[in-house]
Amino acid sequence: MAVQPETANDAPDNSAQTLSTTDNDDAIDSFFSADSNHDVAENFKAGYVAIVGRPNVGKSTLMNHLLGQKLSITSRKPQTTRHRIHGILSTNEMQAVFVDTPGIHHNEVRAINERMNKAALSALVDVDLVLFVVDSDQWREDDLLTLQKLGETDLTVVLIINKADTLKDKGVMLPLIETFNESFDFADIVPVSALKSQNLDRLQEVIASHLPVADPIYDLEQITDRSERFLASEIIREKIMRSAGDEVPYDLTVQIDGFKDEAAHKDPKTGRPRKAMTFIDATIFVERSGQKVIVIGEKGQRIKQVGIDARKDMELLFGKKVMLTLWVKVKRGWSDDERALNSLGY
């Protein structure tokens, strides 16, 4: 029903009840309040939780399964995660903002390795809790390096012993736990299987117990602070690393050249309805010509499959149709070039 504009002949009815200024302000405050759409506990807890550990120990898998959604990319290759990524877990009682970090490691052979270590260590600033992730069966040199860095802080640290499901004899874990206890004063120790989501409910309870009482940091419906452009680039990189295996070394990155949303509309030429669509153009950079050949694959089959797999994950994550176009280019020495790393977002 259309609303007619008020004219001089249609004076407002003075007897109509109107909102006072105070009532109007209260209505606005209520609409924009943090809990306007959610029932949250009276002693709601919220805080930042850093997930740290050596490369390839399962940090990203742990965050993804805690969130119940794939947000951070994973592969069998070490140092898959290169950036700090925030994943947001919200319940009626608490909000944990997880900071998934690159693996802390000794070998800073190139500029990108140095930046990854800095990104991981900078995550320890202004967090409320640290989850230190280790393997269930062994202690390694990079574990010790991470623990040394944690020892230089006064942060609350929970030890997460991952891949506990791989041990046939759980008693083997007891000496490891004892060794960790002697090395550091952990607030809690929680064995889990991130991949199989085992004991994650218990871990969530432990996390909540160490967070401060505070208002939500982000909207309770939000799952990350990263843009869709960034997530798209990470998904493409994951698919290449999984597809090429050891054929393509660590030296590749992805740049999003175009990201355009198109609303649902009628095709002006055919008159047929077209669904909403996101058009994404991306360039995959490698360091050598031989790597370019491998990424493209015989008759373009590998890059075609990478595009198909990446598009499916994007559509699932973004909740909309995606048209993805991929290019492969050689950018020699990018991983050890400070200017190139800056331009590529590292």
Side-chain angles (χ1 to χ4, degrees):
M1 180 178 67
V3 178
Q4 297 297 326
E6 183 179 346
T7 66
N9 294 327
D10 297 321
D13 183 358
N14 292 329
S15 64
Q17 186 175 2
T18 59
L19 282 173
S20 68
T21 302
T22 302
D23 290 337
N24 192 51
D25 289 343
D26 289 344
I28 293 172
D29 289 340
S30 175
F31 181 82
F32 284 106
S33 65
D35 58 352
S36 59
N37 296 317
H38 303 276
D39 294 324
V40 297
E42 183 177 351
N43 292 320
F44 190 87
K45 293 186 171 186
Y48 287 90
V49 182
I51 306 176
V52 302
R54 62 174 170 81
N56 211 29
V57 78
K59 300 182 297 296
S60 296
T61 300
L62 178 63
M63 186 180 78
N64 288 341
H65 283 259
L66 281 167
L67 296 175
Q69 182 162 347
K70 184 173 181 179
L71 190 63
S72 194
I73 71 171
T74 61
S75 82
R76 293 184 180 275
K77 287 191 175 185
Q79 302 169 18
T80 300
T81 299
R82 297 179 181 171
H83 307 267
R84 283 171 49 180
I85 300 173
H86 285 175
I88 305 164
L89 173 64
S90 301
T91 69
N92 290 337
E93 290 78 32
M94 69 101 172
Q95 182 178 84
V97 182
F98 296 109
V99 187
D100 185 23
T101 63
I104 297 174
H105 53 287
H106 277 92
N107 296 325
E108 295 185 355
V109 294
R110 292 169 299 178
I112 188 172
N113 298 102
E114 182 180 356
R115 291 198 179 199
M116 286 165 60
N117 268 347
K118 286 181 179 179
L121 295 173
S122 66
L124 300 179
V125 179
D126 296 328
V127 298
D128 302 283
L129 181 65
V130 176
L131 304 183
F132 174 39
V133 186
V134 299
D135 265 344
S136 62
D137 61 343
Q138 53 189 313
W139 174 278
R140 298 183 182 176
E141 188 178 358
D142 283 341
D143 292 318
L144 183 58
L145 174 63
T146 305
L147 199 59
Q148 287 173 345
K149 298 297 183 182
L150 292 175
E152 297 169 3
T153 74
D154 58 357
L155 294 166
T156 302
V157 181
V158 173
L159 176 65
I160 309 300
I161 303 179
N162 192 23
K163 306 176 186 176
D165 59 306
T166 62
L167 295 179
K168 294 181 179 179
D169 180 7
K170 297 299 187 287
V172 175
M173 198 186 303
L174 296 178
L176 185 67
I177 292 175
E178 191 173 323
T179 300
F180 283 130
N181 262 331
E182 292 173 354
S183 305
F184 195 90
D185 185 19
F186 293 104
D188 274 293
I189 298 177
V190 185
V192 304
S193 170
L195 188 61
K196 296 185 178 179
S197 297
Q198 292 178 359
N199 212 28
L200 296 191
D201 288 343
R202 168 61 183 154
L203 175 56
Q204 189 170 314
E205 293 173 0
V206 169
I207 292 169
S209 72
H210 292 293
L211 293 181
V213 174
D215 292 331
I217 300 168
Y218 293 95
D219 185 279
L220 297 185
E221 297 295 332
Q222 194 170 341
I223 63 167
T224 185
D225 65 337
R226 286 288 192 168
S227 68
E228 289 184 340
R229 291 177 69 103
F230 171 82
L231 296 174
S233 70
E234 288 289 272
I235 289 170
I236 295 166
R237 188 164 64 87
E238 178 196 57
K239 299 311 174 188
I240 299 167
M241 295 179 76
R242 284 179 172 269
S243 171
D246 293 330
E247 291 184 77
V248 176
Y250 184 70
D251 313 330
L252 67 90
T253 194
V254 178
Q255 175 178 283
I256 302 299
D257 304 309
F259 196 105
K260 180 181 178 182
D261 288 319
E262 184 178 89
H265 64 284
K266 279 189 176 181
D267 189 307
K269 293 182 179 178
T270 64
R272 295 178 180 175
R274 294 185 61 175
K275 295 181 179 179
M277 179 93 58
T278 296
F279 295 86
I280 301 174
D281 296 320
T283 300
I284 301 160
F285 288 109
V286 294
E287 296 208 332
R288 293 184 291 278
S289 300
Q291 296 169 356
K292 178 179 178 179
V293 172
I294 293 171
V295 171
I296 293 172
E298 187 176 356
K299 297 181 180 179
Q301 286 303 305
R302 173 167 283 149
I303 194 66
K304 179 181 179 181
Q305 191 61 49
V306 164
I308 291 171
D309 294 341
R311 179 179 54 78
K312 287 179 180 177
D313 272 16
M314 290 178 197
E315 290 180 345
L316 187 63
L317 182 60
F318 302 154
K320 53 189 174 184
K321 297 293 290 183
V322 170
M323 179 68 72
L324 176 62
T325 304
L326 298 176
W327 305 90
V328 184
K329 295 182 180 180
V330 177
K331 193 177 185 74
R332 298 186 186 279
W334 71 264
S335 64
D336 202 26
D337 185 322
E338 296 289 349
R339 291 179 61 185
L341 289 171
N342 288 335
S343 70
L344 290 168
Y346 288 92

